[in-house]
Structures are given as structure tokens and as C-alpha cells.
Amino acid sequence: MTKLRINYFLLIMIGFGFVGADLYGQGKGTFGSYDAASVKTKGDWLVDPISQKSAIYTNAHGQLVLSNGLISRVFDIEKAGATVGIENLMTGEQLLRSIQPEALLEIDGHILPVGGLEGQPIHNYLLEEWIEGMEARPIAFKLQKYESGPTQARFDWMKRREWMPKDLPWPAPGKRMVFTYRGTEEMIQALAAQAISDDARHVLFVDEFKGDHSSWKIFASEGDERNSFINEGKAGEIMALANQSVYAEIESPRQAEVWMATLFAGTDQAASWGIGMALVTQSGQVLKANLRASDRKIGGYDGNQEQYHGDFDPGKELSLRAERTAEGLRISYAEEGKDFRLLDSFSLDPEEAIISFRVGKMDAKGGFSDYSEPGPQGRSRVSKVSVLGPVNSSQEGQQSLAYLKALEVKVYYEIYDGIPLMSKWIELVNQSGHPITVNSFKSEILALVEEESAVDAKVEWIKPNITVETDYRFGGMSDDNLYSSSISWNTDPSYETQVNYGLQTPALLEAYPKIGPNKTLQTGDTLRSFRTWELMHDSWDRERKALATKRMYRSQAPWVTENPIMMHVRQADDVSVKKAIDQCAEVGFEMVIMTFGSGFEIENDSPENIERMKALADYAHTKGIALGGYSLLASRSISPKEDVIMPEGQEPRFGHSPCLESEWGINYFEKLYQFYQKTGQDILEHDGSYPGDVCASHDHPGHSGLEDSQWNQYQRIQEFYEWSRSKGIFLNVPDHYFMAGSNKTGMGYRETNWSLPRAQQEIIERQNIYDGTWSKTPSMGWMFVPLVEYHGGGKEATIEPLKDHLSHYEQRLANLFGAGVQACFRGPQLYDGPQTKSVVKKWVDFYKQHREVLDADIVHIRRPDGRDYDGLLHVNPHGKEKGMVFLYNPLDRPIEKEITIDLYYTGIKDNVRLKDNRNAEVELALDRDYQISLPINIPAHSQQWFVLESLD
């Protein structure tokens, strides 16, 4: 165990603003003493001003604690570097139940943990005395030093203050810690001894079932005439009824230490009789592991009872591996032969010899019998069997692995002032002197206390009360598309004492790209992972969790508060665009977008087009209007050469898509850079943004094959979005790219609904806003107002001529501006006469007058249903206008009643003044639940709103 010397010193990292030291000279004495009770923040962070700042402490056990008074993360630094505690100070909960590595790297096929400790007796909970007895993983990168300092900006952001309700800091203030790990001689020795790839072992037996199979003894049930281990002349291909036995057996070599089988479940629908492998001991004990295709689990039989583990994909080959150790037998599994994970450990007497090796479909106990219900017929396959002996001399293996000692892994953590939020990411620096390939990585591994404990299998599990976010997500506007790109709630194979019988509790939070990155690093190169954010909640209340999540986006992607009022002009010719610019300037709109189908051509890099676009931008800027246009990226085909080549059986998400790393894709982004640099335009509406399609081409210049195609394509678009932020270019992107730099996405609507009668559109629009603002701030989502016919519907669905449908037009303006939500007003004009112009300007002026509170968070009052009032409460506890109640009446008669409004999140404690849109004022006292009984009087087909100010 690494011991700390007494002579502490500080190393000032000039230019980076960091204080740090190597592990043998830590300045722990410079940090304050940690006591959770005294550090804990007083007050409600969603309402009250929080004075407590993020800081680093030392606790009574000599551990480092990164805390902001709301949450804490605790690190043991004396052994190998490990997270040993995550505390929710708001609730008093300890969230960590088990110590895991800080990261996991697959480098040149070697699986290498970063930090972490091993030896925890059980994994239900974690005691401090257990930590003292645990040791560093021999095979892991070891902690060398740590540094601390303020948070750093992920990239530059040119703020557009004219579109923001108030200025926000960038980066979000807080503290950063960086832990640096390096490979060691112990790691090299352990890796050589472990021989994860088994290359260093003596090969005792191999059969790929391509030729002679006479060494096997075949057992096939007579329950069906088709039951066979050799189907249509192909050895290893099993045709059998689901619950009947068909397997082959060989005598196991005396020196055998590892037994492996590569299997494919195919169409077999068995469970306990599923294809697998088994070892038979001299005393007759049978140890078995098999694929249970019927429930996508892996079964294990230890000679006494059958258990179910892990998940697997029946559409892929799965390798099972059994290794004899001093303690018994370790069973592991891997999809497509790589990244073996521990499945189970079986007890086995060291003196007990293994005499037979079986592969195929056996009964539940690894023997030869049939179940009473035979089940359907299916075809499965054993494609390879290996039996390996002891490890060869490891000297040569150690020399070949020595370069791993020259790799440096940096693990970054940030915690932010006044919000229960942390982020984490890693960097790998290649200092080895030759290229390495990073096949895969896991940048966060947290074994958290399960939120739900269930004995039986479940379809939907309640996960721990944490919102997770990353800046590596794609595939649409959905809040949870990160689960297909970068985050998983996985089962924990080490958690053998959980309640769930099949060990299927999803209590292991892991962050990793689902494909790749398979990135080659030359000497001096660095691979940086994506960031993972973890927001801890103090309640299961839907509104409170939603408010916390939206606060996270304001903190970590503050550009989402840029909320310009925008028009989509239908034609991109000079006359149409200038008319739109002039009208916008007249009524107070702030942005013109040359919409889809307008004739705007961002890929046209001819001098004539560039010059015309620059002239239009210059004209717009003289009027105080931002200008830009629409570009479609995915959901179109360029050519067979440039399009993504999908694996067999898969289709691009949008039907077609070019590869961003093809020659066309690289040129496309270069044209975007050049367009904005030369024209000075201000906005890109980027439709069909990269949806996560992979590409199996080996001819595209930006990637080498399938495994690195997703990672490289995402990097291409992320770098452009981050560059756009640095130039103040507004990004409308109908995908969840906020953390990568986009400003706004769709609030959530169905375009064909704009072909419905106008009266129905009004209610549906408010429903879309009500529903969309559970997960988005008002400024994060755009709505859509087609002023001309769109998707059909004829005159009954169309707003043009505007002056003929002015009451409906005004209602749409009230719906949107009253919610603080901007829409794409799509048409040739915003107004068609003085009265129409007056109405538009009225609502624009209203929005700008109350911009801060309207762009603030929304508390939901009543969802629109067309049967009574509906409404929203804007809450702004740190502003002069503490809130705004905005109510709508969809009925043909006035609504006059008293309604209860909860004002807790406005920050008002005792008394409130409400002033409505008719300048009527009322002063009310809040009850002990922060509620008021508010008299309302809303005219038919109209609205009423109240501005709230505190009288305290």
C-alpha cells in the first residue's frame, strides 16, 4: 500500500490555475476538514440564494472530499485512487454501495482498469472499515498525482446578450480535480500473468468443426428424429427440439486450465436446455454455463443449483470461458470474443480433477435427459472449442507489454456551485513511442444503491434518483436517446447478494460509447472521452425533478437561454428576404431564417452566392436583425460511394444518410465553415443532424471501418457546433445536441396537425408547450406556426390572409409569447395591414417587457383539454418579477372562479402582489403550504395573466 510522506509541498500549475502535487507530496493539509453536517448547504437551492461554494476537503479518514454543500464525492488516494463515497447531503443518503474502477480502458485488446480497489466482502453496502482492508487492483493504472483548481470552459462561447433574459457565467463556477494515473511494473506483471487474450497459454486442443470430428463422443436425444449434433453434414450445428439434449463430449487434457466455447443460439428457444458448455469432475460433479435464448440470460449451474446472470444478444456469437484458479472455477463471457466479463465463480476442490468437457444442449444439470415439454425445433451452433494449458514463460510477454507503462490517464471531475451536479471525463495520453489503439473505454462506473429491489424479473425497473446527461448523444429529440449512445444502467455481476434471483437489478451506471471508438493514437496524441453529468435529486416529485434538470441545462449549456424571436421566410430571393427583414425590424422580431424549400443554398460556394448572402446579412444587420438559413444533412442520399454503408440487416435511421467522414462529408463541413466566415450570417437551422448511423466503408478518408465510424462522425459535427458557439452562430437543431453547443430543438409537435381546423390547433399547441416544458426550458424548444397552408387542410386550417383570421392569429401569439416559447412563423410576411401589425407588435412588446420571467422556469398549473381553463406559472425567485401566472380560456363563455396556485418556487414566503393584464391589483397572503386562492376572470376565447411581486 502506498504511504504518504510527511514532507508535504504544493506545486503551482502556472497558466492552468491549478494547485497540485505528486502522490508522494500531497498537500492534504491545505484543505479544510470535512464534516457533512457543517458543510451541508442551508436552504433550498431551487429557491434560495446559495452562498456555499464548491471546495475540496480532507475527512477524518485522510480521504479527499469534493463537495458543494449539496453533494459530495469522496476519494481514497493512498492506495490506487478510487471513489469510495457519493453523498447526497440534501437527503443524507450514501449512494455508493460498491467500489469500482474509476474508468476501464481496452487498449490493443487489453482490458485495463484505472484505479479502484478490490476485496469488498459483499456489494450491498460499503463500510469504512472494509475500505481500510481493501487493496489496489494489481492490473490497474495507479494514481500518481492530483491537482485542483477552478472549473474550465469546455469551449468558447460568444454570448448573444440581446437574446438572453440575463447574463450567465461561463464556465459555471465551481471546482475541478484532476487525478493522473500511470501504468506500473506491477500492472505489466499482472497483465502478463493473467494473459487476458490467452495468447501466452499452451494450446492443448482446438476444434473449429471444419473437418474431422471423430475425437468427440456425440449424445443426441431420441425424442425427435431430427435431433443431431451434425446437421446436414455440418459438425457443431445442432438441430434439436428446445428442451431435449444434444451435445458432444471429449476427454479433458490433464494440464487443462482454460476451457472455451464459441456459441450461437440461433433459433433455439431453450432456457435451461440452451446451448452451452459443461465440465465434469472425477467425482461426477458437473459445472455448467449456457445461453438461455428464451429470456436472453446466461445460466450457470454449480453442481447444486441453477442461477441466471447477465444479458446477451441472441443475434451475436457469444464466447464462454472457464478458468481454473486456486479458489475454484471462474466463468466469464464475451460477445464476439472480446471484453470478457465475469459471470460467476464456482467452488471446486483444488485436488478435484476435471475429466470431461461437454459442448451443446444439455439438461438443467449438464446431463443427458429431456424435459417433459419438448418445445419447438431450433438450430444452434458450436463454432469453436479451445482447451488451454498453463501460461508460458511471462518474460517475453512482459517485455511486449512494457509500453503500457508509458501511458498516462487523466480523470477529471468538476462540481458546480449551488447545484447538486458533478461531471466527469477522462483523457488518455500516448507517451509510449509507438501507436496504440483504444478499442473501447468506460469513463464512469458507479455501483449505486438500487432504488428498487425485486425478487422476480421485471420489464421496467425504477432506477436510482439521478438524472444523467452526456455530450455524446444523437438520434433525435428524445430525452433518453443517450441510452443508445453513451449511458447504460447495467447489471452488476459482482453483486451476488442482491435480492433479485436472476441477478438482474440494474444498479451499475456505466458511461461508454456503444460502438468503438477504436481510435489509433500516435505518440503524443490524446483521446478525450465525452463528459458525463450526474444530477442528484432530493425528491421524486415530477415538477421538482424537472426544475432541477432545467437548471442543469442553464448551468452547463447556458446558450440555451438565447431565445430570439424568429421568422421563417418562405423564399430566399432578395426581395422576399428584405421584406421579411423590414417587417421583423418594424415589429421587434430579431431573426430571419431562410427556411426549407426557400431556395437557400448553403452548399453553393460560388462567389456569386457568397457575395449575395453577405449582402443580405449586411442589410439585416443594419436593421438589427440576425440572418441565416436551413441545411439538410441526414435523411438524404448523395451517392453509393459517399453514403453510409450499414451492416447487414440495418438501415440508416432516416432511410438515407451520407457518411460525415466520407470525402463529401468532410467537404460539406468545410463549406459550412467557409460560408459563415465569408458571409457573416448568424444562424444555421441544421435539419437531419447526425443521427448516429455507423458506416462499414473502408474507403472513406475520415474513418477506417465500422468500429471507429460513429465516434469520428460525431466528433466532426461536435467540433463544428462548438466552433459555431465561439462565433455566436445560433443553432436550431432538431436533435438533443445542447451539451455539444446547439441552442434549440423542437418543443415537440406533429407537423400534420397544422392541417387541422384552426380552433383545434390552438388547444394542441398549448398541450405541446405544456408537455414539452417538463424537460425543456421555454427557450430550449421551438414551436411552429405555418402562416400559409401546410400539409393540407385548406382554408379552415390556414391563417393567411392574416387580417381575416386576426383573432386566431392573436391567440397563437398569446399561446407562444405567454409561455416564453418562440415559434418558427413560416410565411411570406408577419402582417398584412396596420391592424395585424399592431397585434403582432403588442405581443412582441409584452414578451420583451417581461422577458426575464417569461424565459424562466415553468411550473405546470393545468394541462389544456378544451373543457376548462389551462395555464402555466413562470417562476423567477431571484428576479424583481418573481413570477407570472398565465391562464387561457378555450370556452365560449367567461371563466370566473377561484383557483389554488402554489407559489413555493417563486421564492415568495408570506405576501404577494398580483397585477393582471387589465392593471387590476390584488394582495394576498400565502398559506403555510405557500399557496394562494386566486380569483380569476378570463373572457371567452381569451387569456388573463398576473405579474407577481413579493411584499416581504
Side-chain angles (χ1 to χ4, degrees):
M1 182 174 74
T2 304
K3 298 293 184 182
L4 300 183
R5 293 180 180 175
I6 301 301
N7 55 324
Y8 298 158
F9 67 89
L10 294 178
L11 174 64
I12 307 299
M13 306 292 289
I14 300 175
F16 198 41
F18 269 43
V19 175
D22 63 43
L23 194 57
Y24 294 98
Q26 304 295 350
K28 289 200 300 182
T30 65
F31 301 132
S33 297
Y34 179 77
D35 174 71
S38 60
V39 169
K40 179 181 177 181
T41 294
K42 309 301 186 290
D44 184 345
W45 70 276
L46 280 170
V47 176
D48 303 316
I50 302 297
S51 59
Q52 177 82 17
K53 302 300 181 184
S54 303
I56 301 167
Y57 305 89
T58 305
N59 66 16
H61 302 283
Q63 299 158 341
L64 291 184
V65 183
L66 184 61
S67 181
N68 61 3
L70 297 166
I71 57 174
S72 299
R73 188 159 180 157
V74 185
F75 303 94
D76 185 289
I77 61 169
E78 295 194 359
K79 297 175 182 178
T83 295
V84 297
I86 295 179
E87 302 171 309
N88 186 333
L89 300 178
M90 301 175 291
T91 63
E93 294 174 286
Q94 292 281 348
L95 303 181
L96 198 72
R97 60 172 177 78
S98 173
I99 298 175
Q100 298 289 324
E102 295 302 286
L104 195 68
L105 295 167
E106 182 184 3
I107 300 172
D108 295 337
H110 305 294
I111 307 298
L112 301 170
V114 178
L117 300 172
E118 61 183 6
Q120 187 169 332
I122 60 172
H123 298 271
N124 305 66
Y125 57 92
L126 178 62
L127 297 181
E128 191 63 47
E129 53 264 35
W130 293 350
I131 299 173
E132 295 173 3
M134 296 172 69
E135 295 294 338
R137 299 170 184 266
I139 202 171
F141 287 94
K142 303 301 189 298
L143 180 65
Q144 301 296 308
K145 63 178 181 179
Y146 62 83
E147 302 147 4
S148 64
T151 55
Q152 303 289 320
R154 305 199 299 279
F155 45 82
D156 292 335
W157 170 34
M158 177 180 162
K159 299 179 182 180
R160 301 297 294 260
R161 281 287 291 113
E162 65 272 26
W163 303 332
M164 298 169 63
K166 58 184 177 182
D167 197 8
L168 291 174
W170 180 247
K175 277 288 185 183
R176 169 183 287 194
M177 292 202 72
V178 186
F179 293 82
T180 300
Y181 297 79
R182 294 187 70 90
T184 64
E185 185 62 34
E186 181 186 23
M187 182 182 83
I188 302 305
Q189 293 176 2
L191 186 61
Q194 188 185 66
I196 293 176
S197 67
D198 293 314
D199 292 340
R201 291 185 178 274
H202 291 287
V203 178
L204 304 179
F205 177 83
V206 173
D207 193 345
E208 296 184 355
F209 298 97
K210 294 179 179 179
D212 180 30
H213 50 270
S214 58
S215 52
W216 294 92
K217 183 179 180 180
I218 308 297
F219 295 81
S221 166
E222 296 181 356
D224 187 87
E225 62 181 9
R226 291 293 307 278
N227 289 346
S228 174
F229 191 83
I230 307 171
N231 183 52
E232 298 175 349
K234 292 173 284 189
E237 183 172 287
I238 299 172
M239 178 67 75
L241 299 184
N243 298 322
Q244 296 187 348
S245 298
V246 176
Y247 64 85
E249 180 181 274
I250 60 168
E251 181 179 342
S252 180
R254 181 175 299 179
Q255 290 183 302
E257 294 185 359
V258 173
W259 298 260
M260 300 177 68
T262 301
L263 312 167
F264 182 63
T267 59
D268 183 52
Q269 291 300 306
S272 296
W273 268 254
I275 189 170
M277 69 180 201
L279 300 175
V280 183
T281 71
Q282 189 172 14
S283 64
Q285 182 182 7
V286 180
L287 306 170
K288 183 188 110 172
N290 72 287
L291 312 187
R292 299 170 55 91
S294 63
D295 54 15
R296 303 170 68 96
K297 292 179 174 58
I298 304 173
Y301 177 71
D302 65 357
N304 294 303
Q305 63 177 348
E306 186 181 12
Q307 293 189 349
Y308 317 134
H309 307 270
D311 290 320
F312 79 98
D313 183 350
K316 296 181 179 180
E317 279 196 331
L318 196 88
S319 295
L320 295 176
R321 181 182 187 274
E323 180 178 357
R324 184 150 196 176
T325 67
E327 293 77 26
L329 202 67
R330 289 170 55 92
I331 309 296
S332 55
Y333 68 99
E335 285 188 351
E336 299 178 337
K338 61 182 182 180
D339 192 10
F340 275 91
R341 297 182 62 180
L342 178 66
L343 180 74
D344 208 339
S345 296
F346 297 156
S347 298
L348 186 63
D349 189 318
E351 302 299 321
E352 182 80 0
I354 293 175
I355 61 171
S356 299
F357 182 27
R358 296 173 180 170
V359 292
K361 287 168 58 62
M362 293 152 277
D363 64 22
K365 297 182 178 182
F368 184 61
S369 69
D370 296 343
Y371 188 56
S372 57
E373 297 180 9
Q377 191 175 76
R379 189 194 310 256
S380 54
R381 183 178 69 243
V382 183
S383 59
K384 184 178 180 179
V385 169
S386 303
V387 181
L388 308 178
V391 176
N392 294 315
S393 173
S394 63
Q395 187 63 38
E396 182 178 341
Q398 290 184 35
Q399 292 175 355
S400 67
L401 296 170
Y403 72 97
L404 295 173
K405 291 190 295 183
L407 304 182
E408 182 177 84
V409 183
K410 294 185 175 182
V411 183
Y412 292 81
Y413 306 86
E414 285 189 347
I415 192 169
Y416 307 98
D417 296 347
I419 181 172
L421 178 68
M422 290 185 183
S423 70
K424 181 185 177 185
W425 69 102
I426 65 172
E427 289 180 355
L428 173 64
V429 184
N430 180 15
Q431 301 171 340
S432 68
H434 64 83
I436 64 170
T437 298
V438 185
N439 310 105
S440 65
F441 67 77
K442 292 181 178 179
S443 52
E444 178 69 300
I445 309 170
L446 290 179
L448 298 175
V449 175
E450 61 268 40
E451 197 63 48
E452 180 180 19
S453 185
V455 174
D456 298 321
K458 290 180 64 68
V459 176
E460 294 289 336
W461 288 83
I462 300 173
K463 310 297 196 306
N465 199 11
I466 295 174
T467 291
V468 185
E469 178 60 282
T470 77
D471 57 356
Y472 185 72
R473 60 185 298 179
F474 32 73
M477 307 178 201
S478 171
D479 294 331
D480 62 359
N481 58 25
L482 80 166
Y483 294 111
S484 62
S485 61
S486 51
I487 291 295
S488 286
W489 287 98
N490 289 323
T491 58
D492 183 353
S494 66
Y495 191 7
E496 297 179 341
T497 50
Q498 63 183 272
V499 167
N500 184 258
Y501 188 76
L503 304 181
Q504 295 300 299
T505 307
L508 190 67
L509 175 63
E510 297 186 303
Y512 56 95
K514 299 305 171 69
I515 300 173
N518 211 53
K519 192 79 171 177
T520 297
L521 303 183
Q522 304 296 329
T523 297
D525 286 351
T526 297
L527 174 74
R528 180 180 294 110
S529 76
F530 54 81
R531 288 199 189 205
T532 300
W533 286 266
E534 293 145 9
L535 176 68
M536 316 293 176
H537 294 288
D538 56 7
S539 168
W540 284 94
D541 177 72
R542 185 185 184 191
E543 195 79 73
R544 186 169 180 84
K545 290 184 67 173
L547 291 170
T549 301
K550 289 177 282 191
R551 191 73 64 87
M552 174 184 70
Y553 287 118
R554 285 198 183 93
S555 168
Q556 299 302 299
W559 41 86
V560 302
T561 65
E562 296 177 349
N563 199 20
I565 310 169
M566 55 194 180
M567 176 191 179
H568 274 211
V569 62
R570 287 186 66 208
Q571 302 297 331
D573 62 275
D574 289 4
V575 173
S576 299
V577 174
K578 287 184 177 181
K579 177 184 177 181
I581 291 169
D582 292 341
Q583 283 204 346
C584 284
E586 285 290 321
V587 297
F589 270 55
E590 297 162 327
M591 178 178 287
V592 171
I593 302 172
M594 292 171 276
T595 189
F596 49 92
S598 66
F600 174 73
E601 298 178 296
I602 202 168
E603 297 170 50
N604 181 355
D605 56 0
S606 68
E608 295 78 15
N609 187 57
I610 295 296
E611 183 178 350
R612 188 172 77 87
M613 289 295 108
K614 182 181 186 306
L616 285 173
D618 291 344
Y619 179 78
H621 295 160
T622 66
K623 301 281 188 172
I625 302 297
L627 180 69
Y630 169 97
S631 177
L632 179 64
L633 177 57
S635 72
R636 61 167 167 161
S637 175
I638 305 303
S639 71
K641 177 183 177 182
E642 308 291 352
D643 290 353
V644 293
I645 298 175
M646 300 295 290
E648 185 177 355
Q650 297 184 32
E651 295 290 335
R653 176 178 172 82
F654 297 133
H656 301 280
S657 185
C659 177
L660 275 57
E661 293 302 288
S662 67
E663 184 176 352
W664 179 90
I666 295 169
N667 290 338
Y668 170 83
F669 279 98
E670 183 56 34
K671 287 180 178 181
L672 295 188
Y673 287 111
Q674 292 299 315
F675 179 87
Y676 287 99
Q677 288 173 333
K678 292 178 179 178
T679 67
Q681 291 198 9
D682 310 273
I683 178 172
L684 171 65
E685 188 160 270
H686 210 198
D687 200 1
S689 189
Y690 174 60
D693 292 333
V694 295
C695 180
S697 172
H698 296 286
D699 299 322
H700 292 166
H703 71 100
S704 60
L706 182 70
E707 292 297 322
D708 67 340
S709 63
Q710 192 174 76
W711 182 266
N712 289 7
Q713 288 184 84
Y714 187 83
Q715 279 194 314
R716 178 77 57 185
I717 196 166
Q718 182 181 27
E719 288 170 2
F720 173 73
Y721 285 173
E722 292 179 354
W723 176 85
S724 297
R725 283 280 53 73
S726 73
K727 302 300 180 183
I729 299 166
F730 193 85
L731 294 172
N732 265 4
V733 180
D735 293 276
H736 208 293
Y737 272 87
F738 297 116
M739 292 302 198
S742 70
N743 296 83
K744 197 184 288 284
T745 192
M747 183 61 76
Y749 53 81
R750 181 177 292 277
E751 290 189 332
T752 52
N753 285 352
W754 310 128
S755 65
L756 297 172
R758 285 184 295 273
Q760 295 175 17
Q761 293 183 33
E762 294 176 11
I763 303 297
I764 292 174
E765 181 173 67
R766 295 205 298 273
Q767 287 181 335
N768 296 159
I769 292 170
Y770 190 95
D771 297 339
T773 50
W774 285 106
S775 58
K776 304 179 187 72
T777 68
S779 59
M780 288 170 67
W782 75 69
M783 287 298 292
F784 191 59
V785 181
L787 301 173
V788 294
E789 186 176 3
Y790 189 77
H791 281 287
K795 293 181 179 180
E796 297 300 316
T798 306
I799 305 179
E800 283 275 9
L802 305 176
K803 59 187 177 184
D804 293 347
H805 307 108
L806 191 54
S807 62
H808 171 77
Y809 191 20
E810 179 164 12
Q811 185 60 62
R812 301 289 293 279
L813 291 163
N815 287 352
L816 294 155
F817 285 113
V821 174
Q822 301 309 325
C824 305
F825 288 85
R826 186 175 190 267
Q829 56 190 357
L830 289 173
Y831 56 85
D832 54 3
Q835 190 176 3
T836 311
K837 176 181 177 181
S838 176
V839 168
V840 175
K841 192 172 189 310
K842 164 191 167 181
W843 284 101
V844 171
D845 290 347
F846 161 80
Y847 170 71
K848 289 186 174 180
Q849 179 185 353
H850 303 288
R851 192 167 204 155
E852 182 175 331
V853 69
L854 286 168
D855 282 1
D857 282 324
I858 281 178
V859 171
H860 299 79
I861 296 177
R862 188 178 189 279
R863 189 177 189 270
D865 58 11
R867 302 175 66 139
D868 201 344
Y869 79 94
D870 57 86
L872 305 167
L873 169 63
H874 299 271
V875 294
N876 188 33
H878 304 307
K880 182 178 184 298
E881 296 180 339
K882 300 290 185 182
M884 177 181 284
V885 176
F886 209 104
L887 306 173
Y888 301 90
N889 179 4
L891 305 179
D892 295 329
R893 56 176 174 78
I895 295 177
E896 188 172 354
K897 62 169 67 175
E898 286 194 1
I899 63 173
T900 300
I901 305 288
D902 188 339
L903 299 186
Y904 176 79
Y905 290 109
T906 66
I908 300 172
K909 305 297 184 185
D910 297 308
N911 299 284
V912 61
R913 177 189 293 120
L914 300 98
K915 183 176 182 180
D916 76 0
N917 47 302
R918 295 184 288 273
N919 291 318
E921 289 190 11
V922 62
E923 295 181 3
L924 298 172
L926 281 66
D927 66 19
R928 295 180 67 180
D929 293 322
Y930 301 95
Q931 295 180 340
I932 58 171
S933 184
L934 176 64
I936 63 173
N937 188 350
I938 317 173
H941 296 292
S942 188
Q943 51 278 322
Q944 184 180 21
W945 67 87
F946 301 83
V947 175
L948 282 60
E949 294 182 358
S950 174
L951 293 177
D952 301 338

